[in-house]
Amino acid sequence: PQGSEKAKSFVHAFLKRSMPKMKDEAIQDMLTRKAVVLEHYPKKKTKQKRKKTKGFTAKQRRELRLFEIEPEQQRYAIFLPLHELWKQYIRDLCHGLKPDAQPHMIQGKLLKADLHGAIVTVTKSKCPSYVGITGIILQEFKHVFKIITKEDKLKVVPKLNNVFSLELDGFISYIYGSKFLLRASERSAKKFKLKGTIDL
């Protein structure tokens, strides 16, 4: 048909203009294969690197005093609701502290539990001045507990060489600080041995 001839001549002329260096025989060869690939190189998209949001360094946190509790906030009564929340958290974690509950199961849960809000007492220590300190744990670090006492005094008690006790619904658990030298986040993923040497 006349239309197909026009189309063929148009394509031939278009290829001649687009590729002036190519001979007529080569253009004709391309047309017989009925597949024309024009040389076009798309621009490569450069992937933008995501900038990681950097948190504060330990030095910056100290300078900003992010973990320091203001003196006016160092009152035992303020943190009693936190202790009530902690008790409910432990009851839910241990599926209720019933009299027939297995002590090993509860002990295993407490070893990995968050202790912020727990009332603890120093029962044994190589330093006699620490024995008898009782209060709510406000902060737990790798080596120390920060405890607020009923006298509204903030005490920093080292874990090393100290034994702590905590009581909940008649169940008393002992924490051997020397075996507890971990941050709270690291402790939740650690596997503790239930049997082993116990010392201060």
Side-chain angles (χ1 to χ4, degrees):
Q2 192 175 359
S4 63
E5 290 297 326
K6 283 185 179 180
K8 193 182 292 183
S9 60
F10 170 78
V11 173
H12 190 279
F14 175 76
L15 292 174
K16 187 72 175 174
R17 286 196 306 274
S18 300
M19 296 175 283
K21 294 181 180 180
M22 189 173 283
K23 295 180 180 179
D24 289 343
E25 293 83 6
I27 292 173
Q28 193 60 39
D29 182 57
M30 289 177 68
L31 288 172
T32 53
R33 285 185 282 130
K34 296 181 181 179
V36 180
V37 181
L38 299 177
E39 294 180 2
H40 175 65
Y41 300 100
K43 291 181 180 179
K44 291 183 178 179
K45 292 182 180 180
T46 54
K47 290 184 179 179
Q48 292 182 349
K49 292 182 178 180
R50 291 183 180 179
K51 291 182 179 179
K52 292 183 178 179
T53 54
K54 292 183 178 179
F56 292 117
T57 62
K59 185 180 179 182
Q60 288 172 329
R61 286 196 293 267
R62 284 194 298 270
E63 288 173 352
L64 292 170
R65 301 172 66 186
L66 293 179
F67 296 117
E68 289 191 22
I69 300 168
E70 298 296 329
E72 61 270 15
Q73 299 295 323
Q74 295 177 14
R75 289 191 287 127
Y76 186 83
I78 291 177
F79 298 99
L80 280 174
L82 175 65
H83 174 60
E84 293 301 320
L85 285 172
W86 180 82
K87 287 198 294 185
Q88 190 57 50
Y89 154 67
I90 294 298
R91 289 180 188 125
D92 293 342
L93 184 69
C94 300
H95 308 293
L97 293 171
K98 298 175 183 177
D100 58 344
Q102 296 180 357
H104 289 293
M105 183 272 290
I106 296 173
Q107 188 70 37
K109 297 265 188 187
L110 287 174
L111 285 172
K112 296 188 177 187
D114 192 329
L115 296 177
H116 293 90
I119 292 180
V120 295
T121 302
V122 182
T123 53
K124 291 182 182 179
S125 177
K126 284 192 175 180
C127 180
S129 61
Y130 288 124
V131 177
I133 293 176
T134 303
I136 300 172
I137 294 178
L138 299 188
Q139 291 173 313
E140 179 187 356
F141 298 96
K142 185 174 182 179
H143 297 286
V144 298
F145 285 124
K146 281 191 178 181
I147 297 171
I148 186 79
T149 66
K150 288 182 179 179
E151 293 77 27
D152 297 336
K153 292 182 179 179
L154 188 66
K155 300 282 187 179
V156 180
V157 183
K159 294 180 181 179
L160 190 67
N161 299 328
N162 285 324
V163 179
F164 304 86
S165 67
L166 59 90
E167 187 270 335
L168 179 63
D169 296 344
F171 182 87
I172 299 173
S173 179
Y174 293 93
I175 298 169
Y176 289 81
S178 302
K179 308 292 183 184
F180 224 64
L181 298 177
L182 295 162
R183 294 181 180 88
S185 56
E186 295 170 352
R187 187 160 44 77
S188 63
K190 181 178 170 61
K191 290 183 179 179
F192 289 93
K193 292 180 181 178
L194 292 178
K195 292 182 181 180
T197 56
I198 295 175
D199 56 4
L200 287 177

